[in-house]
Amino acid sequence: MTSTPRNRPAKRATILDVAAAAGVSRQTVTRAMNEMPGIRQATRERVQELARELGYTPSRFAKGLVQGAHTSVGLAIPGLTNPYFPAFASSVVEMATQRAWNVVMDDFGHGSGSALDAVARLAPQVDAVIGYLGPDAEEAQAMLGRRPVVVLDEPAGLTAGGISFDYPYAARLALDRLLAVGSGRIAYMDSVTEEGSLTARGAAVAGVASDLGIDLTVFRSEDSAHASREAVESLLSRHAGLDGLLVFNDLMAAGALKALAGSGRGVPDDCAVIGMDGIPLGELVTPELTTLSLNLRDVGRTAVDLLDGLLSGAVVAGSAEADLRLRHELVIRQSA
Amino acid sequence: MTSTPRNRPAKRATILDVAAAAGVSRQTVTRAMNEMPGIRQATRERVQELARELGYTPSRFAKGLVQGAHTSVGLAIPGLTNPYFPAFASSVVEMATQRAWNVVMDDFGHGSGSALDAVARLAPQVDAVIGYLGPDAEEAQAMLGRRPVVVLDEPAGLTAGGISFDYPYAARLALDRLLAVGSGRIAYMDSVTEEGSLTARGAAVAGVASDLGIDLTVFRSEDSAHASREAVESLLSRHAGLDGLLVFNDLMAAGALKALAGSGRGVPDDCAVIGMDGIPLGELVTPELTTLSLNLRDVGRTAVDLLDGLLSGAVVAGSAEADLRLRHELVIRQSA
DNA sequence: ATGAAAGCGCTAACAC
DNA sequence: GTGTTAGCGCTTTCAT
């Protein structure tokens, strides 16, 4: 067995190995690898060739240590299952890429626990975190110390920055629409929370409904199309006269559409339906979903811009400028 | 202005700053920060408190340099827009998290160029890459040197590992089904490629159709529901008698469903439709989509397991064990 | 065009 | 229980 000495390198080759092999100093290797001036073309090529043969890859740690490295941001989201989150993630990745940041993703949707676990995993790897952290946001900020956390769907509070949504405004838009298309017996389906209380969206909808003199039926479902479908089926058996439905998000609204169709009700004629989020899925279901739409690219851009400001010092953590609020837009399609 | 001296720290605090502030050695700081033994509780707390005040965060580079660091894998995917990719990404992230790996995501869907650009951005940051790299796979491997690349939907070739799909098998399943439900005039909608040739899926479908004596109509569309819808509308005007349609993926199939409904055709009665991928979207559209389904959690797990083997040396790069092939399963719902 | 020295911030190993 | 000494692998001076 006299084959190549290092088919499966036990230890990674270092710059010194390459330097030794080439019979030059390590600086020369650096110059060759990084396309720096002050080196003869022939030397450069010889070194590069040797580096390839040895399977040499500069250590990102050593490099980062000495150079101060590119910023890397952690993205913490509660699962990629609801299309909303990938859409958001996509825009964050896009914006981050433009700045030559890299994004480390952690999805705490599956068994992997809470938002806090995700942040704990991310903490040693990143310079900042953007995420849907819910009530864990402040503890996440504590975990990151001075490194900024930008929370979504939550006011900044003790975190460096926050982007929240104007739910009362959105609720008003939706409820007005439902009224306008003639709905009289309106229900709102909220997502379940750990504490059993209403979500921020739910609270806003309930508040506006009361202002409008609407006798709102509120019920809950897990955040999935399947669960939502069952919840609506069950609701329908109790409230047969339901003729207007506002739903926590579009994915759940899609499930609701299924339930309504299954019960023989026409949408929007027998019951109007409005979702929330504005994800592309809404255009693929039948009937197409009227929804409170968020421009997810804007949300992603806003988050990254805010983080950029925080990182550069242009925006002060916890200041009013760091606590943004975005609005939904009512996109009218077929379901209401 | 005699406020706190370091509201916006110009330079990050280092371990030495904390040590100096606490009047201890840096080793003691290390012990305090990392919950190591051999330190008095009081000292530990005092140091931690000081660290927090100074906003000290251990440099991940220095730490990585000295400790050999956790592996981090790059995930390169062509956009998060098609729900297929987030579903895949989600399972990769989940599996990676179980191994305490972290995943750096790069989405080259938007303006950010080709798969190769993504790999170039990832290269200095990661120990390996998993991705839908298409024809760029081998060049990506060259870019990474000895670090393994696992390509998806592509045989391994010159990359360390590959996971491909048995399209002839899948095509057979679908075409048999279409024949079984009585389709006689069958079309296949492929995705467009840069070279204008058929995709691997398209080639397999065409091959099997020819074996089966089917006179297959092949047409193309961009990979989006919208484009697909238009492509089908246009096809319908040319081939009014179409009664069976197999589609490149589920997202495009959803668009096809819209076109069919818009033309007044019933699915599956007037025209049966079969998609490919098995994403959850298929259950949300009307009628629910019959599809060639891939268990995406399996695909993700397989990719991560393979990478694990490659990284540990248990699997040899380029060997037969590193070139896996998975099969689709026909999930019969309503559309065919 | 190339090399030598210094040091980035941290932890492992061994003192004391 | 705490401090000291060595590096980890690289790039930045500053020589030569």
Side-chain angles (χ1 to χ4, degrees):
Chain A
M1 276 286 218
T2 52
S3 62
T4 335
R6 48 186 98 60
N7 260 335
R8 236 190 294 120
K11 279 179 193 287
R12 274 184 32 177
T14 84
I15 196 172
L16 255 21
D17 298 327
V18 179
V24 300
S25 74
R26 58 218 242 159
Q27 288 58 330
T28 300
V29 178
T30 291
R31 289 191 268 253
M33 298 303 292
N34 299 0
E35 303 296 339
M36 303 173 87
I39 180 176
R40 206 169 32 195
Q41 187 58 22
T43 314
R44 168 169 320 200
E45 281 166 11
R46 190 165 50 89
V47 170
Q48 287 178 344
E49 168 63 17
L50 251 4
R52 187 147 19 81
E53 278 177 23
L54 296 179
Y56 167 68
T57 310
S59 150
R60 65 173 174 281
F61 299 109
K63 209 160 184 164
L65 187 53
V66 74
Q67 289 185 322
H70 289 165
T71 80
S72 88
V73 351
L75 182 58
I77 53 186
L80 258 13
T81 318
N82 182 332
Y84 176 88
F85 294 108
F88 170 68
S90 174
S91 86
V92 170
V93 170
E94 177 180 2
M95 297 313 180
T97 300
Q98 288 177 4
R99 293 175 163 75
W101 294 354
N102 57 295
V103 0
V104 180
M105 186 149 103
D106 200 302
D107 161 356
F108 53 97
H110 16 67
S112 29
S114 73
L116 229 40
D117 295 324
V119 174
R121 286 186 293 258
L122 254 15
Q125 311 290 340
V126 302
D127 305 302
V129 164
I130 293 178
Y132 277 80
L133 272 16
D136 293 339
E138 307 199 332
E139 203 167 336
Q141 179 65 77
M143 216 172 246
L144 284 200
R146 286 238 195 316
R147 294 171 291 170
V149 170
V150 171
V151 226
L152 277 112
D153 201 10
E154 206 79 26
L158 264 40
T159 62
I163 296 177
S164 53
F165 306 113
D166 190 345
Y167 289 126
Y169 175 84
R172 182 65 197 255
L173 247 30
L175 260 11
D176 277 350
R177 174 67 185 174
L178 252 16
L179 259 16
V181 297
S183 296
R185 304 181 63 173
I186 300 180
Y188 168 70
M189 177 158 61
D190 206 22
S191 174
V192 295
T193 59
E194 286 188 11
E195 315 81 35
S197 56
L198 283 178
T199 62
R201 292 176 220 189
V205 173
V208 174
S210 137
D211 290 351
L212 257 31
I214 296 177
D215 178 24
L216 188 76
T217 301
V218 175
F219 64 117
R220 289 173 180 75
S221 159
E222 291 286 341
D223 179 9
S224 83
H226 193 79
S228 159
R229 176 178 186 160
E230 291 182 345
V232 172
E233 280 164 358
S234 144
L235 178 78
L236 253 20
S237 66
R238 284 172 287 137
H239 295 260
L242 181 81
D243 63 3
L245 180 60
L246 177 57
V247 185
F248 183 80
N249 67 29
D250 282 353
L251 184 63
M252 289 165 71
L257 252 24
K258 281 281 170 191
L260 259 0
S263 78
R265 286 172 175 79
V267 174
D269 296 337
D270 297 325
C271 181
V273 176
I274 297 183
M276 203 169 333
D277 281 352
I279 58 179
L281 167 66
E283 298 186 85
L284 263 19
V285 296
T286 308
E288 295 179 16
L289 199 59
T290 290
T291 187
L292 289 161
S293 172
L294 231 33
N295 182 329
L296 281 183
R297 284 181 46 96
D298 279 353
V299 180
R301 171 163 350 96
T302 306
V304 173
D305 282 348
L306 173 53
L307 184 54
D308 201 348
L310 254 9
L311 251 15
S312 73
V315 175
V316 177
S319 69
E321 293 169 273
D323 198 359
L324 273 20
R325 167 170 286 227
L326 265 25
R327 285 190 161 179
H328 288 76
E329 173 193 1
L330 183 66
V331 173
I332 296 178
R333 292 197 281 243
Q334 300 169 338
S335 73
Chain B
M1 277 285 214
T2 52
S3 61
T4 337
R6 47 187 98 62
N7 260 335
R8 237 189 294 119
K11 277 180 193 290
R12 270 185 33 176
T14 84
I15 196 171
L16 257 19
D17 298 326
V18 179
V24 299
S25 75
R26 57 217 242 160
Q27 196 45 241
T28 299
V29 177
T30 292
R31 287 192 267 253
M33 299 303 291
N34 299 3
E35 302 297 339
M36 302 173 86
I39 179 175
R40 206 170 31 195
Q41 187 57 21
T43 315
R44 167 166 318 189
E45 282 167 11
R46 189 164 52 88
V47 170
Q48 287 180 344
E49 169 62 19
L50 250 5
R52 187 148 20 82
E53 277 177 23
L54 297 179
Y56 166 66
T57 309
S59 151
R60 65 172 176 283
F61 299 109
K63 209 160 183 163
L65 186 53
V66 75
Q67 288 184 325
H70 289 164
T71 79
S72 88
V73 351
L75 182 58
I77 52 186
L80 257 14
T81 318
N82 182 333
Y84 175 88
F85 294 107
F88 170 70
S90 174
S91 87
V92 169
V93 170
E94 178 180 2
M95 297 312 177
T97 300
Q98 288 177 5
R99 292 174 164 76
W101 294 354
N102 56 294
V103 1
V104 181
M105 185 148 105
D106 200 303
D107 161 356
F108 53 96
H110 15 68
S112 28
S114 73
L116 228 41
D117 295 323
V119 174
R121 285 186 294 255
L122 253 15
Q125 312 289 340
V126 302
D127 305 302
V129 164
I130 294 179
Y132 277 80
L133 272 16
D136 292 338
E138 307 200 330
E139 203 166 335
Q141 179 66 75
M143 216 172 247
L144 284 201
R146 286 234 192 319
R147 294 170 291 169
V149 170
V150 171
V151 226
L152 276 110
D153 202 10
E154 207 76 27
L158 265 39
T159 62
I163 296 178
S164 54
F165 306 114
D166 190 346
Y167 289 125
Y169 174 84
R172 182 64 197 257
L173 247 30
L175 260 11
D176 277 351
R177 173 69 185 174
L178 252 16
L179 258 17
V181 298
S183 296
R185 305 181 63 171
I186 300 180
Y188 168 71
M189 176 159 63
D190 206 22
S191 174
V192 296
T193 58
E194 287 188 10
E195 314 82 35
S197 56
L198 282 178
T199 62
R201 293 175 219 190
V205 173
V208 173
S210 136
D211 290 351
L212 258 30
I214 296 175
D215 178 23
L216 187 77
T217 301
V218 175
F219 65 116
R220 289 173 180 73
S221 159
E222 292 287 341
D223 179 9
S224 84
H226 193 78
S228 160
R229 176 179 186 159
E230 290 181 345
V232 172
E233 280 164 356
S234 142
L235 178 78
L236 253 19
S237 66
R238 283 172 287 136
H239 295 260
L242 181 80
D243 62 3
L245 180 59
L246 176 57
V247 185
F248 182 78
N249 67 28
D250 283 351
L251 183 64
M252 289 164 70
L257 252 23
K258 282 279 170 193
L260 258 1
S263 79
R265 285 172 175 81
V267 174
D269 296 338
D270 297 326
C271 180
V273 175
I274 297 183
M276 202 166 341
D277 279 353
I279 58 179
L281 168 66
E283 298 186 83
L284 264 19
V285 295
T286 306
E288 295 180 16
L289 199 60
T290 290
T291 187
L292 290 161
S293 173
L294 230 34
N295 181 330
L296 281 184
R297 284 180 47 96
D298 279 353
V299 179
R301 172 163 349 97
T302 306
V304 173
D305 281 347
L306 173 53
L307 183 55
D308 201 348
L310 255 9
L311 250 15
S312 73
V315 175
V316 177
S319 69
E321 294 168 89
D323 200 359
L324 273 20
R325 167 169 285 226
L326 265 26
R327 285 190 161 180
H328 289 75
E329 172 192 0
L330 183 66
V331 173
I332 296 179
R333 293 198 281 243
Q334 302 170 337
S335 72

